[in-house]
Amino acid sequence: MSLARAPGLPAWLLAALAATLLPWHMQQDGVAGLFALRAEEADAASALGQAWFHGRFWFWPVLAALALALPGALARRSVFLLAGGGLGLLAIVAQGFAIGIQGWSWPFLEAWFGPLEERQFGMGLGGALCFLGCLLLVTDGLALRGFFKGDRFVAGAVGVLAASILIFTAWPVGTMLLQMFTPREELSGLTALGVRLFDGKIWGLGCVTGRVHCGVFWNTLVLAVSTASAATLLGLCFALLVTRSGFPAKRALRLLTVLPIITPPFVIGLGLILIFGRSGVVNQFVQSAFGLELGRWIYGFNGVWLAQVFSFTPTAFLVLIGVVEGISPAMEEASQTLRASRMRTFRAVSLPLMRPGLANAWLVVFVESLADFGNPIVLGGSFGVLSTEIFFAVVGAQQDFGRAAALAAIMLLVALAAFLIQRAVVGGRSYVAMTGKGDAGLPTPLPAPVRRLAYAVALPWALLTILVYGMALAGGFVRVWGRDWTPTLSHFTRAFALEWSASGQIIFVGGAWNSLFTTVTLAAIAAPITAGLGLLAAWLLTRQRFAGRTALEFALMLTFAVPGTVIGVAYILTYNLPPLEITGTAMILVACFVFRNLPVGVRSGVAAMSQLDKSLDEAAITLRASTFRTLRTVVLPLLKPAIVTALVYAFVRAMTTVSAVIFLVSAEYEMATVFIINRVINGDYGLAIAYCAVLILLMLAAIGLINLLVGRRQLGRREGART
Amino acid sequence: MTRHGAEVRLEGLGKSYGPVRAVKPLDLVIEGGTLVTLLGPSGCGKTTLLRMIAGLEQASEGRILIGGRDVTLLSAGERNVSMVFQSYALFPHMSVLENVAYGLVSSGIARRAAERTAEGALETVGLAGFGARLPSELSGGQQQRVAVARALVLEPDVLLFDEPLSNLDARLRRAMREEIRALQQRLGLTVIYVTHDQAEAMAVSDKVVVMLNAGIAQIGTPHALYTQPDNVFVATFMGEANHVRAEIEALEGDAARVRLGETVLHLPHRGLTPGPVDLMIRPEAIRIAAEGALPATVARATYMGAHTEYVFTTPVGELFATDRPGGSPGEAVRLALDPVGTVLVRP
C-alpha cells in the first residue's frame, strides 16, 4: 500500500541507485566492478563518485535534479516529479553532449568555463539506467497530473517507446542529415551540400544521349519501377491461380510465400551467377554447342532486375493473395446474375476492386527494390544504385561521409514519398490487417483467356525459381563451378569443420563458426525485445486513447519507411562518439535489429489485437485488475499466436538482414550475411553457398522450434475448445 | 447475501468527443436497490452513459456519485461497480471458475479463498459443478449466467448490464430477463440496464429512462411511460401508438374538450392549453362499437388468433387497432376510443 502513496518511489530509487552506485560510463571489461561509488579511475566511478572524489562538477546538476525529485517520490507531488525528472533528463543529455572525448565539445563552452583538462567517454550502465529512471519520474508525474487517464503503466510505456524512437531513429537520422552540411576541403557548408546533392553522378542523364552511365538516382528509379511492375504482374498471376482456379499444386505455390522470409538476400543473385554467369551452366552450354560467347550480360541492370524480380515476386504474391481473397464473392455472383460474362465480370468488377491492392503491392515492391542491397552488390558490377553507392562512399577509398549522407537523404526522401503515397492509397492505417468478414458464395473461376495467360506466365516462372534455388544449393557441392565439377563437401568442411583437442574438447576450426554463433546469439537477443516492444506499441495504439497517440503512431510508421542502408549509415555516424558510443559493440547490432524489425512486431500485434474483442480488456478492468495485470493475464495469453509470429519473424529477419548491418559489423561481432557477402565479393562462391544452405536450414529449424515451444500447445487447446 | 445496493447520482454528467455531443449534461438519481433501464434507439448515448458510470469512459463534465462517494475521477477498478458485457467478454483461455474468481484475485484475495467464493456465486446462478469447463463449452444462456456470476461475486455497489440479452434467442431472452429480475430483487441490488428492446425494458425495470439524441426524453415507471408519455417519441417507442392531430377547444376542470375531426372527446388535459395538440391512440384502445363516435371503414383485417389486427380508414387518417375478430374489409363501422389508451401530448 505504501506504493500507492508514493507512486514515484521505484523510479526515483532506480535513478538514484544508478547515479550513486553504478559506473556512469561504458566499461571495457563488461559488468565487472558494478559497485562503483569510489573507483580508482574517474571513468570507472558512478556519477556521485565522479563528482565527489574526482571533481567532475558537471554531474552535480544531475544529482541536484534527483534531489529535487525526492519530495515528489515520497508524497504524491507531481510538480516535484515533473521538475526533478525533467531537469534530470536535461542535465544528463546536456553533460553528455557538452563534454566529449576531447573535453568541451563546442568552443563557446571553453570560452565560458575555461579550458577543461578532462574528457569523458560514452555513457554506460549507470547513465542509461539513470536516464530511464528520470524518464519514468516524468511519466509518473504526468500520470499523477491526470494525463493518460492517470494510468502510470500506460504513461511509462508511452514514455519508453517515444524515447527509444527518438534515440534510435530520429536522432541518428537527424545526425546523418546534418552530416551533409559538413564543409569539404575549401567548400563551406552550404556549397558542400549543393555540390553533394546535385552531383552529376547522381542526376546525370548521359545514358539517354550517349554511351555514358546515367546517374545512380535514375538507375535506382528505373530499376525500382521495372522491378515493381514485373513483380506485381507475376504476383497477381500467382495469386489468381491459387485462389481462382483449379490449379492442383496450390499448397506448393503457397510455400513460395515463405521463401523471401528465410532466404538470405543474395542467394538469388548467386543462383543467377551459377546459371548465367561467365562460367555458368547456360553460358558453358551455349559455348560448347554453338561456339558463342554470351559474355557478362548478367552483370549490370539485367541481372539485378532479374534477381530482384525473383526475390520480390513472393512478396507481391503474399500481398495480393490477401487482396484477391478479400474481394467478396457476392459481388462477382451479383455481376453474373446481371448477365455479365466471366470476362466482363473480371474486367468490370474484380479488377477495379483489386486496384488499391495492386497499387499497394507495387509500392511495397518498389520500396523493397529501392532499399535492396544484396542483389545489386552481387550482380551490379559497374551499374550503381543508391544503396551500393552509399556503401562505397563509406567503405571505399574516399571515405566520404558527406556524400553518403546526401545519397542516403535522397533515398530516404524517395522511400518516404512512396510510403506516404501508399498510406493514401490503402487509406489510413496501412498496417492494419483487414478482418475478412465471412461472405457467403463461391469465388468465380477465372475467364479462360485470363486463366491461360496466368498459367503461361506463372508456371515457367515458378519452374525457373526452383531452378535458381536448386542451382544455388547445388553450387555448394562441387569443387569449382564451371571448371571442376567434382562433387565435394570441402566447402562445408572449410566453413564448419570441428576438431577434438587432446583434452576432448570441441574446437570450432571452420571459418564460419564465429560469425554463425554471433548471428544466432544476437538474433536471439533481439527477437524477444523486438516482439515485446512491437506488441506493446500495438497495444498502446489500438487500445489506449491518450494525448499524442496520433503523433506516436505517425512517428512509428515513419521509422518503418527508413531504408536499411540509411539506418546503417546513420548509426555509425551517430554512435561512434559519446554520449552513446556503441559502434563496434554487440549493442549497436541488437539496436539495429530491434528498430529495423519493429514494424513486424507492431503489424502482427495490431492485426491480432483487432481480432480480440475489446470488451475482454474492459471486463478485466472492471473486475479490479490493474492495467498491467490485464495485459499479463488476459491480453498476452490470447495473443500467443501473434507473439510466436513476431518472435519468429524478428529472429529470422535479424539473421538474413544485410543492408544495415554491413556498416555496423566489427572484427569481434561479424554477422553471417556480411561474412557471406565478403566471400562472394572475393569470388569464393562455394563457401558462400554452403553457408547459405546452412542458414536456410537453421532458420527452418528455428521456425519449427519456436512454434513447438511457445505456440502449439496453447493454440491447440484453444482451437480444440472452440468447437 | 441480502443487502441494499447503493444510490447512484449523476450531476450534470456529459460527454463530448470534440464537437460531437455523445451525452448532453444530465441529472439522474437511481435509488439504491432498484433496477433502472436506459432505453433508446441506437446512437442515443445510452451505452456511453453506462460506460461513464462504469469508468470505461472519462466524463467530459459533471460528477458521478455512488453511495454518496464522488467517483468521477476514479478508474473503473476503484469504483466498486461490475459490468456484464453484451458479448459477455468471458476470458476464453480461462476456465469458468477462473473467470468468476478473476475479480477476487485482482482484489488481492488468495486464490484458494477466491475460488471457494466463486463456487458460491456459480451456485447462485444455477451453474454449480460447471467450474472446470471452458466458456466455449457452455451454451449461450450458460455463458450469460457465468458473466453475471463473475460480476456478482465482487458484491458491487452497482451492477451494470450492457444489452446483456441481445445475443440470445427469443425464448431464452424471456427466461433470462426473468432470472436477472429475480436475482436483483432477491439480493436487493442496484442495477443499471441498457437495452434497445422496449418489451425487455418494461419487463425488468422499476424505472425506465428513455433516451433520445444524447439526452433524456422521459423518466418513469413502465406503467407511467406507457399511459402518460410526455411526447410523441416516447409514446411510439414504448409500444405501438396511432398519432393523429387534434385540437383542444376548451378546458373544463381536469378535462379538456378535444375536437378530433367531426368528433369531440373529453380527456385529461395534462397541463395543456387550448390549441393544436397531438393525440396518441393505443391500438388496444380502439374498439368497434355501434355507439362509437368515430365513423370508419375497415381497410384491412388480419386474423392473429387471439385478436385481429385492423387498419381503419377514418376522416382523421388511417388507424391501426387490435380488437376481437368481427369486422371485415370494406365494412363501414363506428369506433369507440377508450380514454385509458388515448392520451394528449404536447405537439
Side-chain angles (χ1 to χ4, degrees):
Chain A
M1 279 321 284
S2 67
L3 270 185
R5 257 178 278 126
L9 199 56
W12 189 84
L13 284 177
L14 174 68
L17 290 179
T20 48
L21 298 183
L22 297 177
W24 185 268
H25 294 112
M26 177 98 73
Q27 302 301 302
Q28 294 302 323
D29 45 358
V31 288
L34 264 188
F35 182 78
L37 177 57
R38 173 137 212 197
E40 290 292 317
E41 276 185 63
D43 288 326
S46 68
L48 182 62
Q50 295 194 30
W52 192 276
F53 298 109
H54 301 279
R56 293 191 159 179
F57 57 87
W58 57 86
F59 283 109
W60 287 122
V62 179
L63 298 164
L66 286 180
L68 178 63
L70 185 60
L74 290 176
R76 298 175 73 111
R77 299 294 295 276
S78 58
V79 185
F80 288 100
L81 287 180
L82 285 175
L87 289 176
L89 288 181
L90 211 64
I92 293 172
V93 172
Q95 63 86 18
F97 277 108
I99 297 146
I101 34 177
Q102 290 156 349
W104 294 117
S105 300
W106 298 293
F108 72 88
L109 287 170
E110 187 157 349
W112 285 0
F113 296 100
L116 189 73
E117 296 299 307
E118 305 215 59
R119 56 199 186 131
Q120 64 172 352
F121 297 106
M123 213 173 272
L125 194 59
L129 288 183
C130 190
F131 186 87
L132 179 67
C134 287
L135 182 68
L136 293 180
L137 282 176
V138 172
T139 58
D140 278 350
L142 286 175
L144 275 185
R145 282 254 144 155
F147 290 91
F148 305 100
K149 278 196 202 158
D151 193 320
R152 289 172 50 227
F153 178 78
V154 173
V158 171
V160 168
L161 206 62
S164 44
I165 291 174
L166 220 59
I167 295 175
F168 290 104
T169 308
W171 178 31
V173 171
T175 311
M176 183 205 75
L177 292 180
L178 279 182
Q179 195 78 26
M180 290 192 296
F181 294 95
T182 45
R184 189 170 71 183
E185 290 149 27
E186 73 284 5
L187 301 171
S188 71
L190 272 182
T191 343
L193 171 72
V195 168
R196 286 185 188 118
L197 272 187
F198 302 105
D199 191 347
K201 282 187 194 154
I202 303 176
W203 304 101
L205 278 168
C207 58
V208 181
T209 49
R211 294 201 48 84
V212 198
H213 278 296
C214 264
V216 282
F217 173 80
W218 300 114
N219 284 351
T220 313
L221 198 66
V222 170
L223 178 68
V225 167
S226 38
T227 299
S229 307
T232 307
L233 187 69
L234 279 164
L236 180 63
C237 288
F238 279 114
L240 287 176
L241 275 193
V242 166
T243 54
R244 298 291 169 99
S245 78
F247 185 63
K250 286 180 187 179
R251 277 172 173 267
L253 270 190
R254 281 202 184 236
L255 270 184
L256 259 182
T257 56
V258 191
L259 282 181
I261 300 161
I262 60 164
T263 310
F266 31 74
V267 167
I268 303 276
L270 283 177
L272 286 179
I273 290 179
L274 298 187
I275 298 175
F276 300 112
R278 268 184 305 171
S279 48
V281 185
V282 170
N283 279 35
Q284 299 237 321
F285 175 76
V286 170
Q287 191 167 14
S288 61
F290 310 105
L292 275 173
E293 275 275 5
L294 285 179
R296 307 170 43 96
W297 68 272
I298 195 76
Y299 296 97
F301 176 84
N302 303 328
V304 179
W305 177 76
L306 207 56
Q308 285 195 343
V309 175
F310 272 116
S311 305
F312 302 139
T313 297
T315 311
F317 175 45
L318 192 65
V319 174
L320 288 170
I321 280 188
V323 173
V324 177
E325 278 179 344
I327 293 174
S328 161
M331 302 275 182
E332 291 171 336
E333 286 180 346
S335 162
Q336 286 191 308
T337 59
L338 295 169
R339 302 189 189 160
S341 67
R342 275 187 187 177
M343 194 62 205
R344 180 165 151 72
T345 301
F346 182 76
R347 234 187 23 244
V349 176
S350 317
L351 216 49
L353 284 173
M354 288 178 208
R355 208 176 283 148
L358 285 171
N360 184 31
W362 193 92
L363 284 162
V364 167
V365 177
F366 177 87
V367 171
E368 292 243 13
S369 161
L370 180 75
D372 184 24
F373 176 79
N375 289 314
I377 195 84
V378 172
L379 286 167
S382 60
F383 174 78
V385 292
L386 283 171
S387 58
T388 51
E389 283 303 300
I390 294 172
F391 176 66
F392 289 125
V394 171
V395 303
Q398 70 247 50
Q399 272 266 356
D400 188 348
F401 278 106
R403 179 171 154 76
L407 288 166
I410 294 170
M411 190 168 175
L412 184 62
L413 223 59
V414 181
L416 284 184
F419 167 75
L420 290 178
I421 297 173
Q422 186 187 5
R423 242 170 82 98
V425 166
V426 183
R429 305 146 66 108
S430 63
Y431 54 79
V432 176
M434 301 256 258
T435 48
K437 276 236 167 88
D439 259 313
L442 293 169
T444 312
L446 289 175
V450 178
R451 194 181 66 235
R452 278 196 291 271
L453 184 74
Y455 271 113
V457 174
L459 288 189
W461 190 261
L463 286 178
L464 210 54
T465 306
I466 295 170
L467 190 69
V468 170
Y469 271 89
M471 286 291 170
L473 291 185
F477 295 94
V478 295
R479 195 159 285 161
V480 182
W481 191 268
R483 265 173 248 148
D484 184 352
W485 298 97
T486 327
T488 175
L489 284 174
S490 71
H491 302 306
F492 285 90
T493 53
R494 268 199 297 148
F496 298 107
L498 290 173
E499 278 177 15
W500 274 262
S501 70
S503 55
Q505 276 185 319
I506 301 176
I507 308 172
F508 298 96
V509 288
W513 283 116
N514 180 30
S515 59
L516 186 66
F517 285 143
T518 313
T519 309
V520 172
T521 316
L522 295 188
I525 293 173
I529 304 176
T530 314
L533 264 185
L535 291 175
L536 186 69
W539 177 75
L540 286 175
L541 292 182
T542 51
R543 287 297 205 263
Q544 303 292 323
R545 292 168 156 274
F546 50 86
R549 197 188 70 100
T550 350
L552 182 70
E553 185 179 4
F554 193 69
L556 256 173
M557 310 253 297
L558 276 188
T559 66
F560 302 175
V562 184
T565 318
V566 177
I567 283 283
V569 174
Y571 269 31
I572 38 168
L573 287 176
T574 309
Y575 300 133
N576 60 359
L577 287 174
L580 207 55
E581 195 182 353
I582 53 174
T583 301
T585 65
M587 213 181 306
I588 198 172
L589 287 165
V590 171
C592 173
F593 292 155
V594 169
F595 289 92
R596 289 282 297 138
N597 296 330
L598 203 55
V600 181
V602 178
R603 270 198 207 106
S604 60
V606 167
M609 217 81 83
S610 54
Q611 309 262 320
L612 204 62
D613 186 359
K614 199 174 175 181
S615 53
L616 286 173
D617 311 24
E618 291 176 348
I621 295 285
T622 59
L623 292 170
R624 323 260 198 280
S626 65
T627 313
F628 182 66
R629 179 170 147 81
T630 305
L631 203 55
R632 188 171 55 83
T633 57
V634 176
V635 179
L636 281 186
L638 293 176
L639 281 185
K640 277 251 159 75
I643 298 172
V644 177
T645 324
L647 274 177
V648 170
Y649 275 65
F651 180 77
V652 166
R653 284 182 50 122
M655 286 188 65
T656 55
T657 183
V658 65
S659 57
V661 296
I662 196 156
F663 298 99
L664 306 175
V665 292
S666 50
E668 195 178 346
Y669 297 103
E670 184 164 38
M671 299 298 296
T673 46
V674 180
F675 182 89
I676 296 174
I677 269 222
N678 286 332
R679 291 293 156 289
V680 173
I681 291 174
N682 293 339
D684 188 356
Y685 296 144
L687 186 68
I689 287 164
Y691 203 160
C692 283
V694 170
L695 270 190
I696 291 179
L697 280 182
L698 204 69
M699 281 182 287
L700 284 177
I703 292 176
L705 195 70
I706 296 186
N707 262 329
L708 259 175
L709 285 182
V710 195
R712 286 292 170 241
R713 191 163 38 98
Q714 298 286 338
L715 290 179
R717 184 179 156 203
R718 264 184 74 213
E719 278 160 10
R722 278 259 171 91
T723 48
Chain B
M1 220 168 147
T2 306
R3 58 195 196 92
H4 268 285
E7 178 200 72
V8 177
R9 189 179 282 272
L10 312 181
E11 295 177 352
L13 191 70
K15 173 83 186 172
S16 23
Y17 298 103
V20 183
R21 267 265 145 96
V23 176
K24 292 177 197 155
L26 54 83
D27 296 303
L28 182 65
V29 178
I30 293 158
E31 286 163 41
T34 61
L35 195 157
V36 171
T37 313
L38 307 179
L39 175 68
S42 55
C44 71
K46 56 189 191 298
T47 295
T48 310
L49 186 59
L50 188 80
R51 289 167 59 83
M52 277 197 284
I53 298 171
L56 295 172
E57 303 267 357
Q58 205 82 47
S60 312
E61 54 198 300
R63 300 202 303 160
I64 305 169
L65 295 108
I66 297 177
R69 188 169 63 123
D70 188 342
V71 299
T72 319
L73 293 176
L74 296 184
S75 73
E78 299 168 314
R79 293 189 178 194
N80 203 21
V81 297
S82 293
M83 182 149 162
V84 176
F85 289 80
Q86 182 172 13
S87 59
Y88 316 143
L90 298 178
F91 307 132
H93 58 300
M94 297 182 194
S95 73
V96 166
L97 195 64
E98 283 169 335
N99 261 288
V100 179
Y102 187 88
L104 295 167
V105 176
S106 299
S107 314
I109 293 169
R111 184 167 291 277
R112 193 68 64 78
E115 290 189 347
R116 257 202 311 279
T117 318
E119 267 162 18
L122 280 175
E123 219 174 285
T124 316
V125 297
L127 281 179
F130 284 79
R133 303 218 191 159
L134 285 175
S136 50
E137 295 164 334
L138 301 181
S139 71
Q142 287 170 327
Q143 291 184 7
Q144 168 74 68
R145 279 185 237 187
V146 175
V148 173
R150 187 174 70 174
L152 265 184
V153 76
L154 293 169
E155 304 195 356
D157 288 338
V158 185
L159 190 53
L160 309 172
F161 286 88
D162 183 11
E163 309 223 7
L165 306 181
S166 58
N167 286 339
L168 301 178
D169 63 58
R171 188 187 292 266
L172 203 51
R173 210 174 313 176
R174 185 179 289 254
M176 279 310 297
R177 79 186 184 205
E178 274 159 23
E179 265 184 55
I180 289 174
R181 177 61 164 165
L183 199 66
Q184 181 263 333
Q185 303 230 297
R186 184 150 50 92
L187 303 179
L189 301 165
T190 307
V191 172
I192 306 176
Y193 190 108
V194 161
T195 181
H196 62 264
D197 180 343
Q198 161 271 138
E200 195 176 308
M202 304 216 33
V204 298
S205 317
D206 291 308
K207 260 188 193 166
V208 179
V209 178
V210 183
M211 294 187 66
L212 176 68
N213 296 336
I216 294 178
Q218 191 179 354
I219 307 175
T221 62
H223 182 263
L225 288 176
Y226 191 78
T227 56
Q228 306 289 319
D230 277 353
N231 50 49
V232 176
F233 170 73
V234 173
T236 49
F237 201 73
M238 302 297 291
E240 301 246 25
N242 294 289
H243 173 206
V244 291
R245 308 259 178 218
E247 183 157 349
I248 300 182
E249 290 188 331
L251 299 181
E252 297 164 355
D254 283 345
R257 196 171 77 232
V258 181
R259 171 162 293 280
L260 178 65
E262 301 295 307
T263 322
V264 173
L265 302 168
H266 289 272
L267 295 166
H269 64 67
R270 306 187 69 211
L272 298 171
T273 49
V277 72
D278 281 321
L279 188 63
M280 309 307 299
I281 310 168
R282 297 287 179 197
E284 66 274 16
I286 302 174
R287 279 179 299 107
I288 301 175
E291 76 281 11
L294 197 64
T297 315
V298 179
R300 290 197 295 281
T302 312
Y303 176 70
M304 302 295 288
H307 63 272
T308 297
E309 291 181 358
Y310 293 100
V311 176
F312 298 109
T313 314
T314 74
V316 295
E318 286 208 329
L319 292 180
F320 171 73
T322 55
D323 198 1
R324 279 165 305 173
S328 50
E331 198 178 337
V333 292
R334 295 193 77 80
L335 302 177
L337 302 180
D338 187 345
V340 174
T342 309
V343 195
L344 292 174
V345 170
R346 195 180 301 278

